[in-house]
């Protein structure tokens, strides 16, 4: 493709030729081919401005969300005039497991641990299943199965989180409780993670299908020419080759899981004291017990308590700090996907 | 090095492993098919006994059994339309800018980063933002307008992305021909590129509508958990509980004696609506493909 010299839009000749995307420009870069009327030029310029404003709005939004969450979230740690309570220290919020807002104790460690725990468990199921389904769709399934899987994933991703929640509440919880727990309540990490896994699998599947489909065909053909079986080609050539994008898919799935609120809130049991409960328990299999202990996460606690707190109270501010934490986490994850994708095609 | 030696060993075990893993992959994929069928089946089965004309056309009860979901249906549709009305122009504009104006440099990369971040932002975080800005700072409290504006934030990145992708898929020859005929950039975008990309954008729009229809976290904190007692209430200042919020609220609130039935019925209605939307997209898609083939 002939590389035209970089011409910025601002420097285009008056009423000049249109600048096309992707470095494609009219061959004669110096002479405008058509004279456009004043009205056309004006409309062009105003439209350009309008489109620019629309995209700037998105940038402003990203900053605005950060600003407003920070003003409320950080207020918990600052001795501000509008606060009704005292200023907290970072360590008593982020490093303490003691959540008792009515007694002025605001340790959010149980929610951070809860979010990480439920997300980790969900990924443990969804990441391998998602990647393998991706490679299945891209490299193994016959056409009818490929189509069927696409439709299944489209539908799974379109189901609202409250419907996942009600399914978990009315179908999965009773089933698990009846079959494995001798009718003891089953809410907790295990069922939440299972529901979450189904919710994030479509994201991982569709991104990893893309990843496998965009690999050069020569890789697969080469492996087969060297005598690989289908699975050997997948396991030793295709998956390693697609790895950066598979990791990106997993990270985006992680982001979805950690931010999900309603479905998890409906099945996790909403117990902010779950860590204390675990510590006191003398159970022989603490991990297994933790799976079925009612717990709470950053998002579920927000849904649970935000409506009951007064704006400006320390309690309310700490809840907003939890929201800020979620937002910062999103940003870190997105930047991480950039890192992972670097060196590959953007 | 012996170049003739095969790189992959085809032993008996490798053949068995290959068989086994093919089976595993099929099993995983079929599990998801089964999960979906089970899921939709269970929701519809639970909701079926509740679904009747009365349920769809009655006002909800606050304490007694037998309430309907008429205002929630209205609010769901109203909020989806309003939020799309806000996010469509912004998303289209931003998508057009990214596809046709932003070039290939740092500006485009930064814009993409912002869109991706907004798309990945948890809806509960958007809810907090909407609560601070619209509900509290603007003093709009829990209302349709707070909800619609916050919901629009959820839609904008999706519409932007769909617009950008659909526009980039427009064949270069079409655009070149348009410029060759003397069209300005704006004319090329409006009269050549957008009509070509319209089907892609429309498909994306329907999917966005489905997502907005199912959204609950945002609306609990911005549109509230109450529905107006008037019907139909087009005012933007009243609280607007939607179907998804209603489903969540009756389940977690627990004052209704028939909360379970109401929730089951509401879930079934939502699934039916989304299945219909999905079918619609598929039919449109198929019709278009047949036409262009």
């Amino acid at each position: 493709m002939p590389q035209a010299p970089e011409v910025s839009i601002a420097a285009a000749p008056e009423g000049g030729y249109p600048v096309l995307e992707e470095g494609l420009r009219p061959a004669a870069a110096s002479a405008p081919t058509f004279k456009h009327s004043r009205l056309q030029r004006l409309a062009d310029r105003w439209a350009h401005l309008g489109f620019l404003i629309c995209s700037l709005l998105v940038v402003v939004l990203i900053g605005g969300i950060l600003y407003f969450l920070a003003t409320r979230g950080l207020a918990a740690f600052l001795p501000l005039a509008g606060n009704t309570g005292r200023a907290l220290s970072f360590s008593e919020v982020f490093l303490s497991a003691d959540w008792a807002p009515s007694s002025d104790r605001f340790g959010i460690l149980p929610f951070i641990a809860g979010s990480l725990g439920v997300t980790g468990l969900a990924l443990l199921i969804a990441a391998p299943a998602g990647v393998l389904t991706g490679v299945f769709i891209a490299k193994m399934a016959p056409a009818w199965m490929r189509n069927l899987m696409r439709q299944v994933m489209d539908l799974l991703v379109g189901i609202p989180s409250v419907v996942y929640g009600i399914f978990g509440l009315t179908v999965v919880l009773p089933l698990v409780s009846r079959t494995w727990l001798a009718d003891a309540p089953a809410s907790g990490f295990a069922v939440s993670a299972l529901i979450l896994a189904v919710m994030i699998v479509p994201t991982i599947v569709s991104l990893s299908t893309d990843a496998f489909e965009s690999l050069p065909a020569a890789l697969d053909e080469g492996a087969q020419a060297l005598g690989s079986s289908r699975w050997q080609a997948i396991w030793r050539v295709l998956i390693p080759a697609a790895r950066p994008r598979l990791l990106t898919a997993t990270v985006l799935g992680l982001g979805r899981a950690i931010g999900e609120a309603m479905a998890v809130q409906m099945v996790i049991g909403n117990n902010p004291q779950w860590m204390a409960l675990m510590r006191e328990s003398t159970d022989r299999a603490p991990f297994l017990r933790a799976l079925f202990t009612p717990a709470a996460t950053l998002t579920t606690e927000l849904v649970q308590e935000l409506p009951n707190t007064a704006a400006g109270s320390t309690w309310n501010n700490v809840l907003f700090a939890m929201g800020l934490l979620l937002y910062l986490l999103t940003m870190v994850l997105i930047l991480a996907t950039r890192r992972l994708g670097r060196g590959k095609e953007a | 090095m012996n170049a003739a030696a095969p790189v992959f060993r085809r032993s008996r075990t490798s053949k068995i492993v290959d068989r086994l893993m093919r089976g595993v992959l099929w099993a995983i994929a079929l599990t998801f098919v089964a999960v979906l069928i089970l899921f939709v089946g269970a929701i519809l089965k639970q909701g079926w006994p509740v679904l009747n004309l009365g349920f769809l056309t009655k006002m909800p009860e606050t304490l007694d059994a037998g309430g309907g979901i008429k205002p929630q249906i209205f609010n769901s549709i109203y909020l989806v339309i309003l939020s799309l009305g806000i996010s469509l122009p912004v998303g289209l504009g931003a998508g057009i800018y990214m596809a046709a104006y932003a070039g290939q440099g740092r500006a485009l990369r930064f814009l993409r980063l912002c869109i991706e971040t907004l798309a990945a932002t948890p809806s509960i975080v958007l809810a907090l933002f909407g609560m601070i800005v619209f509900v509290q700072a603007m003093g709009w409290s829990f209302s349709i307008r707070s909800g619609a504006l916050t919901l629009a934030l959820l839609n904008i990145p999706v519409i932007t992305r769909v617009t950008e992708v659909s526009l980039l898929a427009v064949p270069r020859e079409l655009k070149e021909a348009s410029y060759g005929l003397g069209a300005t950039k704006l004319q090329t975008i409006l009269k050549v590129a957008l009509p070509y990309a319209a089907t892609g954008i429309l498909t994306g729009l329907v999917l966005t509508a489905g997502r907005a229809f199912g959204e609950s976290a945002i609306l609990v904190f911005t549109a509230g958990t109450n529905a107006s007692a008037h019907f139909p209430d087009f005012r933007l200042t009243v609280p607007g509980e939607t179907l998804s919020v209603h489903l969540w609220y009756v389940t977690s609130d627990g004052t209704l004696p028939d909360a379970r039935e109401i929730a089951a019925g509401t879930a079934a209605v939502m699934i039916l609506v989304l299945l219909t939307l999905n079918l619609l997209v598929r039919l449109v898609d198929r019709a278009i493909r047949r036409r262009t083939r």
Side-chain angles (χ1 to χ4, degrees):
Chain A
M1 194 194 303
Q3 281 293 313
E6 266 313 309
V7 184
S8 79
I9 290 167
E14 182 65 19
Y17 61 84
V19 180
L20 295 162
E21 52 277 8
E22 296 176 39
L24 177 79
R25 312 244 152 77
S30 54
T33 326
F34 294 99
K35 269 253 182 285
H36 294 132
S37 75
R38 227 177 91 87
L39 191 69
Q40 281 175 319
R41 289 206 303 268
L42 217 63
D44 241 33
R45 204 160 315 147
W46 279 105
H48 184 177
L49 188 69
F51 300 144
L52 179 67
I53 289 173
C54 287
S55 36
L56 285 183
L57 194 67
V58 177
V59 181
V60 170
L61 269 174
I62 294 294
I65 296 172
L66 186 64
Y67 171 77
F68 282 107
L69 284 183
T71 51
R72 297 293 290 274
L74 294 180
F77 307 99
L78 304 169
L80 294 179
N83 288 359
T84 47
R86 69 195 169 87
L88 306 169
S89 73
F90 277 104
S91 63
E92 72 178 305
V93 172
F94 292 103
L95 299 178
S96 156
D98 191 6
W99 177 259
S102 43
S103 320
D104 208 26
R105 297 200 299 274
F106 296 99
I108 64 169
L109 203 57
F111 312 129
I112 298 175
S115 279
L116 293 181
V118 77
T119 304
L121 277 177
L123 273 186
L124 223 54
I125 306 166
V131 166
L132 289 179
T133 310
V135 80
F136 175 78
I137 294 174
K139 297 288 174 185
M140 190 187 274
W144 64 268
M145 187 65 183
R146 210 175 306 156
N147 283 334
L148 178 67
M149 288 309 290
R150 288 238 166 84
Q151 295 185 27
V152 167
M153 291 299 151
D154 280 356
L155 285 170
L156 281 180
V157 82
I159 294 172
S161 42
V162 280
V163 179
Y164 275 108
I166 200 84
F167 179 76
L169 199 64
T170 58
V171 179
V172 185
L173 283 181
L175 189 75
V176 171
S177 145
R178 216 179 317 127
T179 34
W180 284 306
L181 300 174
D183 286 334
S187 48
F189 285 126
V191 174
S192 311
L194 197 66
I195 303 271
L196 260 187
V198 179
M199 293 178 75
I200 64 171
V201 136
T203 308
I204 301 181
V205 168
S206 92
L207 289 171
S208 42
T209 308
D210 290 349
F212 287 115
E213 277 175 349
S214 69
L215 289 176
L219 275 180
D220 199 7
E221 289 160 6
Q224 286 179 52
L226 290 171
S228 78
S229 67
R230 192 80 286 257
W231 173 250
Q232 280 174 325
I234 288 173
W235 185 245
R236 298 197 17 212
V237 177
L238 299 178
I239 290 183
R243 209 175 63 180
R245 291 185 61 177
L246 297 181
L247 283 174
T248 304
T250 310
V251 171
L252 288 175
L254 192 159
R256 266 198 64 145
I258 213 160
E260 175 52 43
M262 307 310 266
V264 180
Q265 192 266 349
M266 289 168 87
V267 291
I268 201 166
N270 300 306
N271 174 18
Q273 268 74 46
W274 69 274
M275 281 178 105
L277 212 72
M278 290 299 305
R279 213 176 299 130
E280 283 156 19
S281 90
T282 51
D283 218 292
R284 298 268 290 290
F287 182 70
L288 272 182
R289 193 195 150 86
L291 289 179
F292 295 104
T293 299
T297 71
L298 289 168
T299 53
T300 62
E301 198 60 13
L302 276 169
V303 174
Q304 192 77 7
E305 294 191 353
L306 197 64
N308 312 326
T309 59
S313 65
T314 313
W315 189 353
N316 189 264
N317 287 339
V318 172
L319 290 176
F320 274 103
M322 285 159 54
L324 179 64
L325 188 64
L326 280 170
Y327 189 52
L328 292 177
L329 211 70
T330 310
M331 292 184 152
V332 170
L333 289 179
I334 290 294
L335 289 175
T337 62
R338 284 300 155 104
R339 260 272 147 94
L340 289 169
R342 189 174 295 170
K344 302 275 140 185
E345 81 284 43
Chain B
M1 220 203 325
N2 187 354
V7 176
F8 292 92
R9 272 210 314 228
R10 291 212 92 159
S11 58
R12 188 105 151 270
T13 27
S14 84
K15 257 185 204 160
I16 296 174
V17 169
D18 187 54
R19 275 275 164 76
L20 189 77
M21 289 316 292
R22 279 171 188 265
V24 168
L25 291 198
W26 272 94
I28 293 176
L30 289 174
T31 306
F32 286 123
V33 180
V35 164
L36 179 74
I37 293 173
L38 242 157
F39 189 105
V40 174
I43 295 289
L44 290 182
K45 189 175 154 237
Q46 284 180 355
W48 200 250
V50 191
L51 281 188
N52 55 47
L53 208 61
F55 180 65
L56 297 178
T57 56
K58 264 192 296 196
M59 298 300 277
E61 297 287 340
T62 42
L63 293 170
D64 304 318
I69 53 168
K70 181 163 82 161
Q72 282 82 11
I73 296 177
F74 171 78
N75 284 337
S76 283
I77 298 169
Y78 194 36
L79 268 167
V80 166
I81 291 174
L82 282 178
S83 76
L84 281 181
I86 300 160
S87 47
L88 185 62
V90 177
L92 270 182
I96 291 172
Y97 186 82
M98 287 171 75
Y101 290 90
Q104 283 288 300
R106 210 175 275 168
L108 182 70
R109 278 210 300 276
F110 181 66
L111 273 178
R112 282 237 176 88
L113 188 70
C114 287
I115 296 286
E116 272 174 45
T117 308
L118 194 59
T121 302
S123 54
I124 184 87
V125 172
L126 296 178
L128 294 181
F129 174 77
M131 194 172 178
I132 299 174
V133 174
F134 304 122
V135 176
Q136 293 170 357
M138 308 284 281
W140 287 350
S141 78
F142 296 128
S143 60
I144 297 269
R145 54 182 171 180
S146 306
L149 278 166
T150 318
L151 199 53
L153 304 184
L154 185 81
N155 304 339
I156 285 173
V158 192
I159 299 180
T160 305
R161 190 87 193 114
V162 165
T163 307
E164 190 199 355
V165 170
S166 310
L167 281 178
L168 287 178
V170 175
R172 176 177 290 180
E173 293 79 5
L174 274 182
K175 288 182 261 186
E176 280 174 17
S178 165
Y179 288 132
L181 289 170
T184 64
K185 184 159 187 157
L186 180 63
Q187 286 169 330
T188 305
I189 290 169
L190 292 183
K191 297 195 172 157
V192 178
L194 269 184
Y196 187 92
T199 49
I201 297 174
L202 196 70
T203 311
L205 207 61
V206 177
L207 294 175
T208 314
R211 220 165 84 110
F213 177 78
E215 177 57 38
S216 46
I218 285 180
L219 296 173
V220 168
F221 294 112
T222 53
T225 50
N226 288 302
S228 169
H230 301 282
F231 183 91
D233 199 334
F234 286 97
R235 282 176 298 168
L236 297 174
T237 51
V238 294
E241 186 192 40
T242 63
L243 285 173
S244 49
V245 173
H246 190 60
L247 165 53
W248 173 78
Y249 189 70
V250 296
T251 312
S252 63
D253 179 49
T255 49
L256 279 179
D258 61 343
R260 249 210 162 155
E261 286 74 27
I262 302 267
T266 312
V269 170
M270 293 185 70
I271 285 286
L272 286 175
V273 168
L274 290 171
L275 285 178
T276 314
L277 277 184
N278 207 281
L279 198 71
L280 205 74
V281 168
R282 214 161 289 288
L283 287 179
V284 169
D285 203 50
R286 187 168 297 172
I288 287 157
R289 241 178 244 170
R290 193 164 298 153
R291 202 184 62 194
T292 48
R293 198 176 284 156

